[in-house]
Amino acid sequence: MSDCIFCRIIAGEIPGKKIYEDDELLAFHDVTPQAPVHFLVIPKRHIKNIMELESGDSSLIGRLLYRAQALAAELGCGEKGARFVINCKSDGGQTVDHLHCHVLGGRPLDWPPG
Ligand code: DGP
């Protein structure tokens, strides 16, 4: 989608600090990091949010989560862990309508969120 900022990062139309890319996934550092490690993992296919998933997407999402934890470990979160967050729509705090999994780590994180 030409008006989606994450689709534009995928297309290389706007810069993103990419840390992983394959045929179906992209991971890049969040532009407003909330922790020493804060990156996003997204499907290249434009899926608006987690509630738009179809049953055939389950393996894609499995690979997305696998990649999220593998990258978290590579970036130093293997021992102490990290938080894996998928915000959805307005009540869920989603501001970019392209499905993404936040990975935050490198410091203790409070729970529950405000
Ligand atoms: P969410 O609230 O879950 O929709 O989070 C969207 C995240 O996307 C937010 O933490 C900031 C990040 N973000 C927004 N625009 C850009 C951008 O142009 N580049 C990068 N790298 N991150 C962005």
Side-chain angles (χ1 to χ4, degrees):
M1 280 181 60
S2 59
D3 60 344
C4 169
I5 197 155
F6 288 176
C7 285
R8 296 187 68 200
I9 291 173
I10 292 164
E13 294 171 7
I14 59 173
K17 289 171 65 180
K18 297 179 183 180
I19 52 181
Y20 177 84
E21 182 165 17
D22 64 24
D23 288 349
E24 60 182 359
L25 301 173
L26 180 69
F28 54 98
H29 292 285
D30 195 290
V31 75
T32 53
Q34 303 300 311
V37 174
H38 186 179
F39 63 90
L40 307 172
V41 188
I42 67 173
K44 287 188 170 177
R45 196 177 103 225
H46 184 84
I47 301 170
K48 276 174 68 175
N49 58 60
I50 195 169
M51 288 180 172
E52 298 288 318
L53 289 176
E54 298 171 0
S55 60
D57 295 324
S58 53
S59 53
L60 168 67
I61 295 309
R63 288 191 290 275
L64 187 153
L65 290 176
Y66 174 81
R67 188 54 53 193
Q69 64 79 28
L71 291 170
E74 282 178 26
L75 293 178
C77 301
E79 185 183 341
K80 291 191 171 176
R83 184 165 295 163
F84 301 80
V85 176
I86 298 176
N87 296 324
C88 181
K89 301 189 185 181
S90 54
D91 277 2
Q94 184 176 10
T95 59
V96 177
D97 287 335
H98 183 128
L99 175 63
H100 51 281
C101 177
H102 292 260
V103 181
L104 300 114
R107 69 170 174 85
L109 297 161
D110 294 336
W111 189 264

